[in-house]
Amino acid sequence: MFDLDKWQEIYETIRKNKLRTILTGFSVSWGIFMLIILLGSGNGLQNGVVNQFKADAENSLWLYSGQTSMAFAGMQPGRRVQFTNEDYSRTKQSGLDVDKISSRFTIRGNNLISYKTEFVNYTIVAVHPDTETLENTTSLKGRFLNDIDVKQYRKVVSISTVVEDALFKKEEPVGKYVKINNIPFQVIGTFTDHSERDLQRVYIPISTAQRVFDGSNRISNMSFTTQTHDIEELKQMEKHLINTFAARHKFDPKDKRAMFINNNMENYQRTMALFAGIRLFVWIIGLGTIIAGIVGVSNIMIIVVRERTREIGIRKALGATPFSIISLVLTESILITSVAGYVGLAMGVILLEILAPHTQIEFFMNPSVDLRVAFSATVLLVVSGAIAGFFPARKAASILPIEALADE
Protein backbone atom coordinates (compact mmCIF):
# COMPACT_ATOMS: atom_id res chain seq x y z
CA MET A 1 0.00 0.00 0.00
CA PHE A 2 1.23 3.52 -0.79
CA ASP A 3 2.48 5.20 2.39
CA LEU A 4 2.25 8.98 1.91
CA ASP A 5 3.87 9.76 5.24
CA LYS A 6 6.94 7.69 4.36
CA TRP A 7 7.40 9.47 1.03
CA GLN A 8 6.96 12.89 2.65
CA GLU A 9 9.60 11.97 5.18
CA ILE A 10 11.99 10.86 2.43
CA TYR A 11 11.32 14.11 0.56
CA GLU A 12 12.11 16.20 3.64
CA THR A 13 15.34 14.29 4.25
CA ILE A 14 16.48 14.85 0.66
CA ARG A 15 15.41 18.52 0.70
CA LYS A 16 17.43 19.22 3.84
CA ASN A 17 20.53 17.60 2.31
CA LYS A 18 20.31 18.69 -1.36
CA LEU A 19 24.03 19.01 -2.04
CA ARG A 20 24.88 15.69 -0.41
CA THR A 21 22.12 13.92 -2.32
CA ILE A 22 23.12 15.48 -5.67
CA LEU A 23 26.80 14.60 -5.25
CA THR A 24 25.90 11.06 -4.20
CA GLY A 25 23.52 10.59 -7.12
CA PHE A 26 26.06 12.03 -9.57
CA SER A 27 28.44 9.11 -9.05
CA VAL A 28 25.69 6.64 -9.93
CA SER A 29 24.50 8.79 -12.83
CA TRP A 30 28.02 9.04 -14.21
CA GLY A 31 28.50 5.28 -13.99
CA ILE A 32 25.32 4.54 -15.99
CA PHE A 33 26.13 7.34 -18.44
CA MET A 34 29.59 5.89 -19.14
CA LEU A 35 28.17 2.37 -19.45
CA ILE A 36 25.63 3.52 -22.07
CA ILE A 37 28.23 5.54 -24.01
CA LEU A 38 30.72 2.66 -24.00
CA LEU A 39 28.09 0.11 -25.07
CA GLY A 40 26.76 2.44 -27.75
CA SER A 41 30.25 3.11 -29.09
CA GLY A 42 30.97 -0.61 -29.13
CA ASN A 43 27.76 -1.19 -31.11
CA GLY A 44 28.72 1.60 -33.50
CA LEU A 45 32.09 -0.03 -34.13
CA GLN A 46 30.46 -3.43 -34.57
CA ASN A 47 27.85 -2.02 -36.97
CA GLY A 48 30.60 -0.47 -39.08
CA VAL A 49 32.63 -3.67 -39.27
CA VAL A 50 29.54 -5.83 -39.97
CA ASN A 51 28.62 -3.42 -42.77
CA GLN A 52 32.03 -4.06 -44.29
CA PHE A 53 31.33 -7.80 -44.24
CA LYS A 54 28.08 -7.12 -46.11
CA ALA A 55 30.19 -6.03 -49.08
CA ASP A 56 30.75 -9.74 -49.79
CA ALA A 57 28.86 -12.93 -49.00
CA GLU A 58 29.70 -14.04 -45.44
CA ASN A 59 29.91 -17.75 -46.34
CA SER A 60 32.44 -17.28 -49.14
CA LEU A 61 36.00 -18.28 -49.97
CA TRP A 62 38.17 -16.02 -52.13
CA LEU A 63 41.17 -17.51 -53.95
CA TYR A 64 44.09 -15.35 -55.10
CA SER A 65 47.22 -16.36 -56.99
CA GLY A 66 50.65 -15.18 -55.91
CA GLN A 67 54.33 -15.78 -56.56
CA THR A 68 56.26 -18.81 -55.42
CA SER A 69 58.81 -18.32 -52.66
CA MET A 70 60.04 -21.92 -52.53
CA ALA A 71 61.78 -24.14 -55.06
CA PHE A 72 59.66 -27.06 -56.23
CA ALA A 73 60.34 -30.03 -58.54
CA GLY A 74 63.51 -28.46 -59.93
CA MET A 75 61.85 -25.08 -60.55
CA GLN A 76 63.22 -21.93 -58.96
CA PRO A 77 61.22 -19.65 -56.65
CA GLY A 78 59.84 -16.38 -58.00
CA ARG A 79 57.44 -17.92 -60.55
CA ARG A 80 54.09 -16.22 -61.02
CA VAL A 81 51.11 -18.53 -60.43
CA GLN A 82 48.48 -17.80 -63.07
CA PHE A 83 44.91 -19.01 -62.60
CA THR A 84 43.00 -19.99 -65.74
CA ASN A 85 39.49 -20.92 -66.86
CA GLU A 86 40.41 -24.54 -66.13
CA ASP A 87 40.74 -23.70 -62.43
CA TYR A 88 37.23 -22.27 -62.46
CA SER A 89 35.73 -25.29 -64.25
CA ARG A 90 37.48 -27.87 -62.09
CA THR A 91 36.60 -26.11 -58.85
CA LYS A 92 32.97 -25.86 -59.92
CA GLN A 93 32.90 -29.60 -60.66
CA SER A 94 35.21 -30.66 -57.82
CA GLY A 95 32.54 -32.19 -55.61
CA LEU A 96 33.19 -29.64 -52.88
CA ASP A 97 30.25 -27.87 -51.27
CA VAL A 98 30.29 -25.11 -53.91
CA ASP A 99 27.09 -23.10 -54.20
CA LYS A 100 27.67 -19.87 -56.20
CA ILE A 101 30.98 -19.46 -58.02
CA SER A 102 32.64 -16.84 -60.18
CA SER A 103 36.07 -16.14 -61.55
CA ARG A 104 37.27 -12.63 -62.28
CA PHE A 105 39.38 -10.90 -64.88
CA THR A 106 40.21 -7.26 -64.21
CA ILE A 107 40.89 -4.96 -67.16
CA ARG A 108 44.11 -3.12 -66.46
CA GLY A 109 45.30 0.22 -67.82
CA ASN A 110 43.22 3.16 -69.00
CA ASN A 111 39.63 2.13 -68.18
CA LEU A 112 37.81 4.82 -70.12
CA ILE A 113 34.01 4.61 -70.17
CA SER A 114 32.06 7.13 -72.26
CA TYR A 115 28.51 8.03 -73.24
CA LYS A 116 27.94 10.86 -75.73
CA THR A 117 30.05 13.73 -74.37
CA GLU A 118 30.60 12.25 -70.91
CA PHE A 119 33.89 10.47 -70.13
CA VAL A 120 34.75 8.73 -66.84
CA ASN A 121 37.33 6.31 -65.46
CA TYR A 122 36.05 3.40 -63.36
CA THR A 123 37.19 -0.15 -62.66
CA ILE A 124 36.10 -2.63 -65.32
CA VAL A 125 35.63 -6.12 -63.88
CA ALA A 126 34.85 -9.20 -65.94
CA VAL A 127 32.92 -11.84 -64.00
CA HIS A 128 30.42 -14.70 -64.04
CA PRO A 129 26.75 -14.07 -63.12
CA ASP A 130 27.13 -15.48 -59.57
CA THR A 131 29.11 -12.36 -58.69
CA GLU A 132 25.76 -10.75 -57.91
CA THR A 133 25.49 -13.07 -54.87
CA LEU A 134 29.17 -13.06 -53.99
CA GLU A 135 29.40 -9.26 -53.94
CA ASN A 136 25.96 -8.78 -52.37
CA THR A 137 24.93 -6.39 -55.13
CA THR A 138 21.29 -5.39 -55.62
CA SER A 139 19.96 -4.77 -59.12
CA LEU A 140 17.81 -1.63 -59.29
CA LYS A 141 17.06 -1.32 -62.99
CA GLY A 142 17.12 -3.98 -65.68
CA ARG A 143 19.09 -7.08 -64.73
CA PHE A 144 22.54 -8.37 -63.87
CA LEU A 145 24.70 -10.57 -66.11
CA ASN A 146 23.41 -14.07 -66.88
CA ASP A 147 24.80 -17.36 -68.23
CA ILE A 148 23.65 -16.60 -71.79
CA ASP A 149 25.70 -13.39 -71.77
CA VAL A 150 28.79 -15.47 -70.94
CA LYS A 151 28.09 -18.30 -73.39
CA GLN A 152 27.37 -15.98 -76.32
CA TYR A 153 30.19 -13.51 -75.57
CA ARG A 154 27.71 -10.66 -75.42
CA LYS A 155 28.99 -7.10 -75.18
CA VAL A 156 26.77 -6.08 -72.29
CA VAL A 157 27.51 -4.22 -69.06
CA SER A 158 25.91 -3.74 -65.65
CA ILE A 159 26.81 -0.37 -64.14
CA SER A 160 26.66 0.94 -60.59
CA THR A 161 24.45 3.84 -59.54
CA VAL A 162 27.57 5.99 -59.22
CA VAL A 163 28.53 5.33 -62.85
CA GLU A 164 24.91 5.87 -63.90
CA ASP A 165 24.84 9.33 -62.28
CA ALA A 166 28.20 10.25 -63.80
CA LEU A 167 27.32 9.22 -67.38
CA PHE A 168 23.57 9.48 -67.79
CA LYS A 169 22.59 12.21 -65.32
CA LYS A 170 18.76 11.91 -65.38
CA GLU A 171 18.56 9.87 -68.58
CA GLU A 172 17.35 6.25 -68.49
CA PRO A 173 20.49 4.04 -68.91
CA VAL A 174 19.03 0.57 -69.64
CA GLY A 175 19.23 -0.28 -73.34
CA LYS A 176 21.70 2.52 -74.14
CA TYR A 177 25.23 1.89 -75.40
CA VAL A 178 28.38 3.05 -73.66
CA LYS A 179 31.92 2.71 -74.93
CA ILE A 180 34.44 0.82 -72.82
CA ASN A 181 37.93 1.57 -74.10
CA ASN A 182 36.19 2.67 -77.34
CA ILE A 183 34.25 -0.61 -77.73
CA PRO A 184 30.39 -0.39 -77.57
CA PHE A 185 28.66 -2.25 -74.73
CA GLN A 186 24.93 -2.24 -74.10
CA VAL A 187 23.78 -1.31 -70.58
CA ILE A 188 21.52 -4.11 -69.30
CA GLY A 189 21.03 -2.86 -65.75
CA THR A 190 22.18 -0.83 -62.78
CA PHE A 191 23.09 -2.02 -59.29
CA THR A 192 23.91 -0.72 -55.84
CA ASP A 193 26.29 -2.16 -53.24
CA HIS A 194 27.08 -1.82 -49.53
CA SER A 195 30.72 -1.05 -50.37
CA GLU A 196 31.75 2.34 -51.73
CA ARG A 197 34.65 0.61 -53.44
CA ASP A 198 32.36 -1.72 -55.36
CA LEU A 199 30.27 1.22 -56.55
CA GLN A 200 33.31 2.47 -58.45
CA ARG A 201 33.09 -0.35 -61.01
CA VAL A 202 31.13 -1.90 -63.87
CA TYR A 203 30.69 -5.61 -64.63
CA ILE A 204 30.97 -7.29 -68.03
CA PRO A 205 30.90 -11.02 -69.00
CA ILE A 206 34.28 -12.66 -68.39
CA SER A 207 34.19 -14.55 -71.71
CA THR A 208 33.69 -11.27 -73.59
CA ALA A 209 36.51 -9.53 -71.75
CA GLN A 210 38.96 -12.38 -72.35
CA ARG A 211 38.19 -12.26 -76.08
CA VAL A 212 38.00 -8.49 -76.58
CA PHE A 213 40.75 -7.36 -74.20
CA ASP A 214 43.30 -10.10 -74.92
CA GLY A 215 42.71 -11.98 -71.72
CA SER A 216 43.13 -15.39 -73.33
CA ASN A 217 42.09 -17.95 -70.68
CA ARG A 218 43.60 -16.02 -67.73
CA ILE A 219 41.65 -15.10 -64.62
CA SER A 220 42.76 -12.79 -61.79
CA ASN A 221 41.06 -14.57 -58.91
CA MET A 222 38.12 -16.77 -58.05
CA SER A 223 35.48 -16.98 -55.33
CA PHE A 224 32.59 -19.16 -54.32
CA THR A 225 30.00 -19.51 -51.57
CA THR A 226 29.33 -22.65 -49.58
CA GLN A 227 26.47 -23.89 -47.43
CA THR A 228 28.98 -24.98 -44.79
CA HIS A 229 29.27 -22.75 -41.70
CA ASP A 230 31.53 -25.03 -39.67
CA ILE A 231 35.01 -23.52 -39.43
CA GLU A 232 36.78 -26.89 -39.27
CA GLU A 233 35.04 -28.07 -42.44
CA LEU A 234 35.97 -24.84 -44.17
CA LYS A 235 39.62 -25.28 -43.15
CA GLN A 236 39.59 -28.79 -44.60
CA MET A 237 38.14 -27.32 -47.78
CA GLU A 238 40.94 -24.74 -47.89
CA LYS A 239 43.55 -27.48 -47.46
CA HIS A 240 41.99 -29.52 -50.29
CA LEU A 241 41.96 -26.48 -52.60
CA ILE A 242 45.60 -25.64 -51.90
CA ASN A 243 46.72 -29.22 -52.56
CA THR A 244 44.68 -29.35 -55.79
CA PHE A 245 45.95 -26.02 -57.11
CA ALA A 246 49.51 -26.86 -56.05
CA ALA A 247 49.44 -30.07 -58.09
CA ARG A 248 47.94 -28.28 -61.11
CA HIS A 249 50.28 -25.25 -61.05
CA LYS A 250 53.35 -27.07 -59.72
CA PHE A 251 54.16 -25.32 -56.47
CA ASP A 252 54.77 -26.53 -52.92
CA PRO A 253 51.52 -26.72 -50.91
CA LYS A 254 53.46 -25.29 -47.95
CA ASP A 255 54.38 -22.19 -49.96
CA LYS A 256 52.27 -19.49 -48.29
CA ARG A 257 53.03 -16.91 -50.98
CA ALA A 258 52.04 -18.97 -54.00
CA MET A 259 48.31 -18.89 -53.28
CA PHE A 260 46.10 -17.05 -50.80
CA ILE A 261 42.64 -17.99 -49.56
CA ASN A 262 40.45 -15.50 -47.72
CA ASN A 263 37.80 -17.27 -45.64
CA ASN A 264 35.05 -14.71 -45.02
CA MET A 265 33.12 -16.94 -42.63
CA GLU A 266 36.16 -17.53 -40.43
CA ASN A 267 36.96 -13.80 -40.47
CA TYR A 268 33.36 -12.95 -39.59
CA GLN A 269 33.14 -15.39 -36.68
CA ARG A 270 36.52 -14.29 -35.34
CA THR A 271 35.42 -10.66 -35.50
CA MET A 272 32.11 -11.38 -33.75
CA ALA A 273 33.99 -13.23 -31.00
CA LEU A 274 36.23 -10.18 -30.62
CA PHE A 275 33.21 -7.90 -30.21
CA ALA A 276 31.72 -10.28 -27.64
CA GLY A 277 34.93 -9.84 -25.66
CA ILE A 278 34.74 -6.06 -26.09
CA ARG A 279 31.14 -6.02 -24.80
CA LEU A 280 32.17 -8.08 -21.76
CA PHE A 281 35.06 -5.69 -21.08
CA VAL A 282 32.73 -2.67 -21.40
CA TRP A 283 30.26 -4.20 -18.93
CA ILE A 284 33.09 -4.87 -16.46
CA ILE A 285 34.29 -1.26 -16.71
CA GLY A 286 30.74 0.10 -16.47
CA LEU A 287 29.84 -2.12 -13.52
CA GLY A 288 33.04 -1.11 -11.77
CA THR A 289 32.06 2.56 -12.10
CA ILE A 290 28.53 1.82 -10.91
CA ILE A 291 29.83 -0.14 -7.91
CA ALA A 292 31.87 2.90 -6.92
CA GLY A 293 28.65 4.91 -6.99
CA ILE A 294 26.81 2.27 -4.95
CA VAL A 295 29.51 2.41 -2.29
CA GLY A 296 29.03 6.18 -2.17
CA VAL A 297 25.26 5.83 -1.75
CA SER A 298 25.72 3.18 0.93
CA ASN A 299 28.15 5.38 2.87
CA ILE A 300 25.75 8.32 2.70
CA MET A 301 22.88 6.14 3.93
CA ILE A 302 25.04 5.01 6.86
CA ILE A 303 25.61 8.66 7.73
CA VAL A 304 21.85 9.30 7.43
CA VAL A 305 21.12 6.42 9.80
CA ARG A 306 23.68 7.70 12.26
CA GLU A 307 22.22 11.22 12.16
CA ARG A 308 18.73 9.83 12.74
CA THR A 309 19.64 7.36 15.50
CA ARG A 310 17.56 9.18 18.15
CA GLU A 311 14.58 9.47 15.78
CA ILE A 312 14.75 5.76 14.91
CA GLY A 313 14.97 4.89 18.60
CA ILE A 314 11.84 6.92 19.36
CA ARG A 315 10.03 5.26 16.44
CA LYS A 316 10.85 1.81 17.79
CA ALA A 317 9.85 2.86 21.32
CA LEU A 318 6.46 3.91 19.93
CA GLY A 319 5.98 0.51 18.26
CA ALA A 320 7.63 0.82 14.82
CA THR A 321 8.57 -2.60 13.45
CA PRO A 322 12.05 -3.45 12.10
CA PHE A 323 10.44 -3.95 8.66
CA SER A 324 9.13 -0.35 8.62
CA ILE A 325 12.59 0.98 9.50
CA ILE A 326 14.26 -1.16 6.82
CA SER A 327 11.59 -0.16 4.30
CA LEU A 328 12.19 3.54 4.97
CA VAL A 329 15.97 3.36 4.47
CA LEU A 330 15.77 1.00 1.48
CA THR A 331 13.16 3.14 -0.28
CA GLU A 332 15.28 6.27 0.07
CA SER A 333 18.35 4.43 -1.19
CA ILE A 334 16.50 2.92 -4.19
CA LEU A 335 14.93 6.30 -4.99
CA ILE A 336 18.27 8.13 -5.08
CA THR A 337 19.96 5.38 -7.08
CA SER A 338 17.11 4.92 -9.58
CA VAL A 339 16.50 8.62 -10.27
CA ALA A 340 20.22 9.34 -10.63
CA GLY A 341 20.69 6.26 -12.79
CA TYR A 342 17.78 7.14 -15.07
CA VAL A 343 19.23 10.62 -15.55
CA GLY A 344 22.53 9.04 -16.61
CA LEU A 345 20.70 6.55 -18.84
CA ALA A 346 18.66 9.27 -20.52
CA MET A 347 21.67 11.56 -21.02
CA GLY A 348 23.67 8.69 -22.55
CA VAL A 349 20.87 7.74 -24.96
CA ILE A 350 20.27 11.38 -25.93
CA LEU A 351 23.97 11.94 -26.60
CA LEU A 352 24.15 8.82 -28.79
CA GLU A 353 21.07 9.96 -30.74
CA ILE A 354 22.63 13.38 -31.31
CA LEU A 355 25.97 11.93 -32.43
CA ALA A 356 24.58 9.08 -34.58
CA PRO A 357 23.82 11.14 -37.75
CA HIS A 358 27.30 12.72 -37.61
CA THR A 359 29.33 9.54 -37.13
CA GLN A 360 28.45 7.56 -40.27
CA ILE A 361 31.99 6.63 -41.29
CA GLU A 362 33.31 3.46 -42.85
CA PHE A 363 34.07 1.53 -39.66
CA PHE A 364 31.72 3.30 -37.24
CA MET A 365 27.96 3.49 -37.84
CA ASN A 366 24.76 4.01 -35.82
CA PRO A 367 26.08 4.01 -32.23
CA SER A 368 23.09 2.98 -30.13
CA VAL A 369 21.83 0.74 -27.34
CA ASP A 370 18.85 -1.59 -27.66
CA LEU A 371 15.88 -2.18 -25.36
CA ARG A 372 17.55 -5.17 -23.71
CA VAL A 373 20.34 -2.93 -22.45
CA ALA A 374 17.81 -0.38 -21.15
CA PHE A 375 15.91 -3.17 -19.36
CA SER A 376 19.15 -4.58 -17.92
CA ALA A 377 20.14 -1.09 -16.75
CA THR A 378 16.73 -0.66 -15.09
CA VAL A 379 17.07 -3.92 -13.18
CA LEU A 380 20.65 -3.04 -12.32
CA LEU A 381 19.58 0.32 -10.87
CA VAL A 382 16.90 -1.18 -8.63
CA VAL A 383 19.22 -3.95 -7.43
CA SER A 384 22.02 -1.43 -6.89
CA GLY A 385 19.77 0.77 -4.81
CA ALA A 386 18.66 -2.20 -2.71
CA ILE A 387 22.27 -3.30 -2.14
CA ALA A 388 23.34 0.24 -1.28
CA GLY A 389 20.60 0.57 1.31
CA PHE A 390 20.62 -2.96 2.74
CA PHE A 391 23.50 -2.65 5.21
CA PRO A 392 22.49 0.80 6.53
CA ALA A 393 18.86 -0.45 6.78
CA ARG A 394 19.93 -3.53 8.74
CA LYS A 395 21.97 -1.33 11.05
CA ALA A 396 18.97 0.98 11.57
CA ALA A 397 16.66 -1.97 12.31
CA SER A 398 19.06 -3.30 14.96
CA ILE A 399 19.08 -0.07 16.97
CA LEU A 400 17.64 -0.52 20.48
CA PRO A 401 15.45 2.34 21.70
CA ILE A 402 17.20 2.62 25.07
CA GLU A 403 20.65 2.73 23.44
CA ALA A 404 19.52 5.33 20.91
CA LEU A 405 18.14 7.61 23.62
CA ALA A 406 21.17 7.02 25.88
CA ASP A 407 23.55 8.08 23.05
CA GLU A 408 21.88 11.44 23.01
Side-chain angles (χ1 to χ4, degrees):
M1 184 179 293
F2 182 76
D3 189 342
L4 181 61
D5 290 338
K6 181 171 69 175
W7 285 102
Q8 287 178 336
E9 193 170 337
I10 291 172
Y11 170 75
E12 287 300 320
T13 302
I14 293 174
R15 187 180 64 82
K16 291 176 182 178
N17 300 279
K18 294 190 197 69
L19 181 61
R20 185 173 69 187
T21 303
I22 291 172
L23 292 178
T24 302
F26 177 77
S27 60
V28 177
S29 183
W30 181 255
I32 290 290
F33 175 79
M34 288 304 301
L35 177 62
I36 295 300
I37 293 300
L38 288 172
L39 286 172
S41 300
N43 286 338
L45 182 61
Q46 181 173 332
N47 292 337
V49 173
V50 168
N51 188 64
Q52 293 302 306
F53 276 104
K54 288 182 180 179
D56 301 319
E58 290 176 9
N59 57 330
S60 59
L61 294 174
W62 295 72
L63 286 61
Y64 301 91
S65 60
Q67 191 174 36
T68 61
S69 60
M70 301 169 61
F72 181 75
M75 293 176 285
Q76 296 299 312
R79 293 180 296 111
R80 177 71 186 175
V81 176
Q82 179 62 63
F83 291 169
T84 65
N85 290 340
E86 182 185 3
D87 294 310
Y88 166 81
S89 301
R90 291 201 176 189
T91 302
K92 187 176 183 179
Q93 301 166 3
S94 62
L96 295 174
D97 184 16
V98 176
D99 186 16
K100 304 291 185 180
I101 184 170
S102 175
S103 60
R104 175 172 301 187
F105 175 66
T106 303
I107 314 300
R108 305 295 180 184
N110 182 27
N111 295 333
L112 185 65
I113 306 172
S114 63
Y115 175 71
K116 295 181 178 178
T117 59
E118 300 293 336
F119 295 84
V120 294
N121 267 284
Y122 287 103
T123 305
I124 303 165
V125 186
V127 296
H128 288 91
D130 284 347
T131 290
E132 185 174 20
T133 300
L134 285 156
E135 291 285 3
N136 274 342
T137 64
T138 302
S139 293
L140 299 179
K141 298 177 182 177
R143 63 175 178 84
F144 198 70
L145 306 176
N146 61 30
D147 290 330
I148 298 176
D149 296 328
V150 177
K151 290 177 181 177
Q152 297 184 0
Y153 303 92
R154 288 178 176 176
K155 293 178 183 175
V156 293
V157 59
S158 179
I159 64 175
S160 71
T161 51
V162 171
V163 178
E164 177 190 5
D165 293 339
L167 286 178
F168 292 94
K169 311 306 180 189
K170 296 183 179 180
E171 191 175 341
E172 176 61 38
V174 178
K176 302 295 193 312
Y177 282 84
V178 298
K179 289 186 177 180
I180 298 178
N181 289 345
N182 215 31
I183 298 174
F185 280 76
Q186 186 180 30
V187 178
I188 58 171
T190 65
F191 67 87
T192 187
D193 197 288
H194 291 282
S195 170
E196 289 294 328
R197 178 201 64 192
D198 292 346
L199 288 173
Q200 309 298 313
R201 59 176 56 161
V202 301
Y203 292 114
I204 62 176
I206 188 167
S207 57
T208 307
Q210 289 174 334
R211 175 175 289 186
V212 173
F213 298 108
D214 299 323
S216 184
N217 67 338
R218 300 190 306 274
I219 61 176
S220 305
N221 59 63
M222 185 169 60
S223 57
F224 63 88
T225 61
T226 173
Q227 297 299 324
T228 301
H229 291 79
D230 184 80
I231 296 300
E232 290 304 317
E233 289 185 27
L234 289 171
K235 287 183 177 179
Q236 290 299 318
M237 191 179 294
E238 287 182 46
K239 185 177 180 180
H240 175 80
L241 286 167
I242 290 174
N243 289 334
T244 302
F245 274 71
R248 190 179 306 136
H249 292 280
K250 296 180 173 59
F251 65 82
D252 193 323
K254 297 178 182 178
D255 192 342
K256 301 298 183 182
R257 300 182 62 182
M259 177 180 173
F260 309 92
I261 298 181
N262 182 41
N263 187 334
N264 263 11
M265 178 56 68
E266 182 179 6
N267 295 339
Y268 179 79
Q269 291 190 9
R270 186 184 297 123
T271 302
M272 291 303 101
L274 172 63
F275 279 113
I278 291 175
R279 282 194 298 272
L280 177 61
F281 177 74
V282 167
W283 273 103
I284 291 173
I285 297 299
L287 289 174
T289 309
I290 293 171
I291 288 171
I294 293 172
V295 171
V297 173
S298 184
N299 288 335
I300 291 301
M301 295 310 299
I302 290 173
I303 294 173
V304 169
V305 169
R306 186 174 299 162
E307 289 177 348
R308 299 172 65 182
T309 298
R310 179 179 174 81
E311 176 192 334
I312 293 171
I314 293 173
R315 281 172 175 270
K316 296 191 74 174
L318 294 175
T321 63
F323 174 78
S324 65
I325 303 297
I326 291 174
S327 173
L328 179 66
V329 178
L330 275 180
T331 302
E332 183 175 344
S333 175
I334 291 174
L335 177 66
I336 293 173
T337 308
S338 299
V339 171
Y342 273 121
V343 170
L345 176 65
M347 294 302 294
V349 171
I350 290 171
L351 181 60
L352 289 176
E353 289 297 320
I354 293 173
L355 294 178
H358 308 289
T359 54
Q360 304 299 317
I361 57 178
E362 193 171 13
F363 286 97
F364 192 87
M365 301 176 65
N366 303 321
S368 59
V369 292
D370 57 27
L371 291 176
R372 289 175 299 176
V373 173
F375 177 76
S376 299
T378 302
V379 174
L380 181 63
L381 290 172
V382 175
V383 172
S384 299
I387 293 173
F390 173 73
F391 296 103
R394 189 175 65 173
K395 178 178 176 63
S398 65
I399 294 174
L400 298 175
I402 191 168
E403 292 179 356
L405 295 175
D407 288 340
E408 292 294 322

